[in-house]
Amino acid sequence: MDTRIPHDLQDTVARTLAEDLGGGDLTASLVPASARATARVITREAAIICGRPYVDAVFSTLDPAVRVTWHVADGDSVSPNQLLFEAEGPARALLTGERSALNFLQTLSATATAARAHANALEGTGCRILDTRKTIPGLRQAQKYAVRCGGGHNHRMGLFDGILIKENHIAAAGSITAAVAAARKLAPGVPVEVEVETLAELEEAFTANADMALLDEFSLEDLRTAVAKNRLRQKPLGLEASGGIDMSTLRTVAETGVDYISVGALTKHVRAVDLSMRLSILSRPAAS
């Protein structure tokens, strides 16, 4: 599992807390500042866990005195009612951080769970599952981390670290050949992928010496033909299948021999994992 922590984690957590806190947590202020508490977080359903660094960052940002004890690691498979973590510290910090921490954990766990289901479906085929840029705004790095925790693989992170030439780019450039040539001149060394919709366009991508081809909405027969043609090349392209692929067709598409399948649903169709946090007060200030 790729365990690289997203470089924007602290900024993401800071934005999330600012969004929720605004000028301050009015409700938590009802609790005495000296009160201490413990919190236990469980999952109410099976899932692949992801989000530990975000939870830790939420509570450490609010109050470094909060201690979080984890009973699972990112990438672990958990069962309903399983204890995920316990936290102890100032009651106000635990109450204030609850929603932000659980929002990260339930959303990223949902993404990791979807990625694991897709990765498991491809097991033994040699094909890899890829995410896309169809992510929740502001959570690009976080969701791509979750995909890795679930056993999936990242496509380009954004528009800056890879070139994917699509239909409109080709139309503007005049041809696939012209678009690839322009890409090589603009950004030498950056991988260039071309989206193709027909076998004829794939042949042009071959001739243009692209690095990868995205086979958009290809039939199974055309996917097999594309794979066969690609294997005859001295330097085969990476072939990525995409478009209208779901769990019911995933393995069938993989068995055509493509190298990758990209699925936007990994990050855009997430259904948050059901979590629960229960807080117990350890101490209250003595009555005067």
Side-chain angles (χ1 to χ4, degrees):
M1 184 183 77
D2 185 342
T3 56
R4 288 172 297 162
I5 303 302
H7 65 79
D8 67 346
L9 184 149
Q10 291 296 339
D11 288 342
T12 302
V13 168
R15 289 196 307 270
T16 298
L17 289 174
E19 177 182 63
D20 203 27
L21 274 166
D25 185 345
L26 298 178
T27 314
S29 297
L30 302 175
V31 178
S34 61
R36 294 183 60 82
T38 60
R40 291 167 52 88
V41 173
I42 67 168
T43 176
R44 296 199 180 279
E45 59 183 313
I48 304 301
I49 290 301
C50 182
R52 272 185 54 160
Y54 290 87
V55 172
D56 290 342
V58 165
F59 288 119
S60 65
T61 299
L62 289 171
D63 195 323
V66 174
R67 294 182 300 166
V68 180
T69 302
W70 285 92
H71 298 279
V72 296
D74 279 357
D76 282 357
S77 177
V78 298
S79 304
N81 300 314
Q82 185 169 338
L83 177 63
L84 305 182
F85 73 87
E86 298 169 280
E88 180 179 338
R92 284 186 177 180
L94 293 177
L95 290 166
T96 297
E98 174 185 2
R99 180 41 50 205
S100 293
L102 295 190
N103 280 351
F104 280 122
L105 193 59
Q106 69 189 21
T107 301
L108 299 185
S109 293
T111 299
T113 301
R116 180 67 56 83
H118 285 74
N120 286 347
L122 297 182
E123 190 172 357
T125 65
C127 183
R128 293 183 173 188
I129 192 72
L130 295 179
D131 55 25
T132 70
R133 289 167 46 242
K134 297 174 182 176
T135 52
I136 297 171
L139 289 181
R140 172 71 55 79
Q141 296 271 354
Q143 283 197 288
K144 283 182 174 281
Y145 168 70
V147 167
R148 300 196 300 272
C149 287
H153 299 267
N154 297 151
H155 204 292
R156 57 180 178 162
M157 191 62 65
L159 298 173
F160 57 90
D161 62 338
I163 294 174
L164 176 51
I165 299 169
K166 296 190 175 185
E167 180 181 6
N168 289 335
H169 302 110
I170 295 167
S175 68
I176 288 174
T177 302
V180 172
R184 296 294 190 202
K185 183 176 180 180
L186 173 69
V190 174
V192 176
E193 182 173 10
V194 179
E195 181 182 67
V196 299
E197 298 179 348
T198 65
L199 290 169
E201 288 184 347
L202 177 61
E203 290 287 357
E204 187 176 356
F206 285 158
T207 304
N209 289 317
D211 297 304
M212 289 183 63
L214 189 157
L215 312 176
D216 184 38
E217 302 278 1
F218 271 41
S219 66
L220 290 174
E221 180 180 356
D222 283 351
L223 286 174
R224 295 188 188 100
T225 300
V227 169
K229 287 178 175 292
N230 192 45
R231 287 176 177 169
L232 294 175
R233 290 177 49 79
Q234 185 175 1
K235 185 181 178 182
L237 276 63
L239 296 184
E240 172 190 346
S242 187
I245 302 170
D246 57 26
M247 287 295 292
S248 68
T249 58
L250 190 67
R251 190 170 183 88
T252 302
V253 171
E255 288 173 343
T256 65
V258 294
D259 302 295
Y260 309 98
I261 297 175
S262 56
V263 177
L266 298 183
T267 52
K268 74 185 182 82
H269 289 169
V270 294
R271 182 189 63 78
V273 173
D274 189 7
L275 306 176
S276 175
M277 175 172 158
R278 289 291 178 264
L279 186 130
S280 300
I281 299 295
L282 290 176
S283 64
R284 294 182 175 85
S288 57

